Amino acid sequence: RSVGLIGAPFSKGQARDGVQLGPDLIRTAGLVHRLREQGCEVKDYGNLTFEDVSNDEPIGNTKSPRAVGRANQQLANAVQRVKSDGHTCVMLGGDHSLAIGSIHGHAACGSELSVVWVDAHADINTPLTTPTGNIHGQPMSYLIHELHTKIPVLPDFSWIKPCIAAKDIVYIGLRDVDPGEHYILKHLGIKTFSMTEVDRLGIAKVMEQTCDHIFSKVKKPIHLSYDIDALDPSVTPATGTPVVGGLTYREGVYITEHICQTGLLSAVDIVEVNPKQGRTEEEVRSTVNAAVDLVLSCFGRVREG
Ligand SMILES: N[C@](CCCC[B-](O)(O)O)(CCN1CCC(O)CC1)C(=O)O
Ligand SMILES: [Mn+2]
Ligand SMILES: [Mn+2]
Ligand SMILES: [Mn+2]
C-alpha cells in the first residue's frame, strides 16, 4: 500500500481550541514510522497552512463560513494531488468540517465514491437545520446530490459541487443525531447503523451489511471518514463533542480491519482529536494512540500478528 499523508491543522468548523494540534500530535506518536514498519510506502505531504480570515462574520447562524470554505478548497486541491500521485490519502484533522474538502478532492479524481462515515454524529445538518451553526456538524449536507437545493449560497463555498449519492453512504456509530438530521437521513433513505444496531447485530454483522450495501451495485472506491468521537469517551476522551455509549476500541479497530480487507479503501480522514479536551496526559495519549491504531489497521495491521 502506498500512503499519502496530509495534515490539516484546522479548527474553525467548531468552537473549541486545540483540534488544530491533532495532525502533529498523531505524527509525533510515530504514525509514519509505524506505517513504514508494517510495509507501507508513505509520502508525507506535510501540513496545509491556513491563512487567517478577518471579519468572518456568521451568515445566519453559520459560523466562520469564509475560513471553512477557503480551508476546504485548499484541502480539496491537496487531496486531489495525493490521489493523482497514486496514493491512498490519509487526512489528519482538525475538525470534521474538513471532510468537505477531503471528499470533494477525492471525488474529483474521477470515479464515484462510497462513503463510510464513522461518528457519534451524522454531521448532515444544513445551514438551515443546524442547532449550533458549527460547520463540523454540516459537512455531508454540502456534498450530497439530493440536498443541493437545500443549501443556501455561502461565501467561499461556490467551488463545491455535490459529488456523493445518498445511496452510497453508510453511517456507523450514531448516537447523537439532531431532529433535522434524522429527518434528512429518513427522507433520503440513507443506510445507518446506530449504536442500537451495533448492539443488536454485533460489529461483524454491521460490517458485513455495510459492505453488502455499498457493493450492492458496482464496487466503488471507499472514502472512510472517521471521527474519533465515534469511539467511547472512555477510550477517546480528548475530543470536542464526546457522547457516552460509544464503540469499544475493539469495535473501532474491527471496522478499519474490515474496510482494509475489501481492498477498496481509497482515502481516510481521522478527525476531531483535541488534546485540550483531555483532562490528563493519559487521556490525550489514549485518544492519540487510538487514532494511530485506527490508521495502522486501515493499512494492514491485524491483531493476529
Ligand atoms: N449535531 C451537532 C454536533 C456536531 C458534532 C460534529 B462532529 O464532527 O463532532 O461529529 C449538535 C449536537 N447537539 C446539539 C444540542 C445538544 O443538546 C446536544 C448536541 C451540531 O453542532 O450540528
Ligand atoms: Mn462526532
Ligand atoms: Mn464528525
Ligand atoms: Mn467531534
Side-chain angles (χ1 to χ4, degrees):
R1 309 267 350 157
S2 139
V3 174
L5 189 66
I6 302 175
F10 186 71
S11 66
K12 298 281 192 313
Q14 48 86 64
R16 295 182 178 87
D17 185 48
V19 71
Q20 74 281 1
L21 302 170
D24 287 342
L25 262 180
I26 293 169
R27 279 202 187 84
T28 307
L31 177 64
V32 174
H33 175 70
R34 298 280 301 281
L35 282 168
R36 287 178 176 149
E37 258 187 346
Q38 64 182 48
C40 295
E41 258 179 68
V42 182
K43 177 176 164 76
D44 189 347
Y45 288 72
N47 286 352
L48 295 174
T49 308
F50 301 116
E51 293 294 312
D52 279 343
V53 176
S54 52
N55 308 321
D56 194 4
E57 296 310 310
I59 309 245
N61 70 345
T62 293
K63 297 171 183 131
S64 308
R66 299 162 191 80
V68 174
R70 291 178 200 177
N72 277 292
Q73 189 164 20
Q74 280 179 248
L75 178 58
N77 293 332
V79 170
Q80 191 168 352
R81 190 173 318 116
V82 170
K83 290 308 300 172
S84 63
D85 289 352
H87 306 291
T88 300
C89 188
V90 174
M91 188 279 284
L92 304 177
D95 71 65
H96 220 163
S97 67
L98 292 164
I100 297 169
S102 181
I103 292 173
H104 201 281
H106 186 192
C109 69
S111 64
E112 296 208 319
L113 303 176
S114 302
V115 175
V116 178
W117 194 280
V118 186
D119 200 326
H121 312 92
D123 297 0
I124 199 168
N125 278 301
T126 73
L128 304 176
T129 68
T130 173
T132 62
N134 297 326
I135 300 182
H136 75 156
Q138 305 174 30
M140 283 296 261
S141 76
Y142 300 97
L143 299 166
I144 296 173
H145 292 294
E146 293 90 340
L147 289 176
H148 190 46
T149 59
K150 307 292 179 202
I151 305 296
V153 173
L154 286 171
D156 298 298
F157 277 61
S158 58
W159 60 274
I160 303 170
K161 306 282 169 286
C163 49
I164 303 294
K167 66 174 175 51
D168 294 328
I169 301 165
V170 177
Y171 280 94
I172 303 172
L174 298 181
R175 55 190 186 276
D176 182 10
V177 177
D178 300 325
E181 296 182 299
H182 189 242
Y183 174 83
I184 289 168
L185 293 171
K186 290 293 168 203
H187 184 66
L188 297 185
I190 291 174
K191 187 73 178 169
T192 61
F193 294 98
S194 75
M195 290 309 297
T196 304
E197 283 74 53
V198 173
D199 289 336
R200 179 186 302 127
L201 299 170
I203 197 65
K205 271 255 176 319
V206 165
M207 292 316 294
E208 205 180 297
Q209 293 185 18
T210 293
C211 290
D212 289 346
H213 183 84
I214 58 178
F215 300 151
S216 53
K217 307 265 182 329
V218 64
K219 288 196 170 191
K220 304 180 184 70
I222 295 172
H223 187 110
L224 174 63
S225 204
Y226 213 120
D227 186 327
I228 208 71
D229 71 29
L231 300 185
D232 190 81
S234 63
V235 181
T236 55
T239 190
T241 51
V243 184
V244 295
L247 296 166
T248 64
Y249 171 92
R250 292 161 43 192
E251 290 167 333
V253 166
Y254 187 90
I255 291 169
T256 46
E257 287 176 342
H258 196 99
I259 295 281
C260 175
Q261 59 83 28
T262 67
L264 287 164
L265 181 65
S266 178
V268 53
D269 311 322
I270 293 283
V271 295
E272 298 278 359
V273 170
N274 185 339
K276 293 190 178 176
Q277 292 295 310
R279 288 164 303 181
T280 64
E281 170 49 38
E282 175 46 37
E283 287 200 347
V284 177
R285 191 178 18 259
S286 175
T287 306
V288 173
N289 289 347
V292 170
D293 290 352
L294 289 171
V295 178
L296 295 178
S297 54
C298 282
F299 296 100
R301 176 179 176 267
V302 285
R303 287 171 278 176
E304 69 175 43

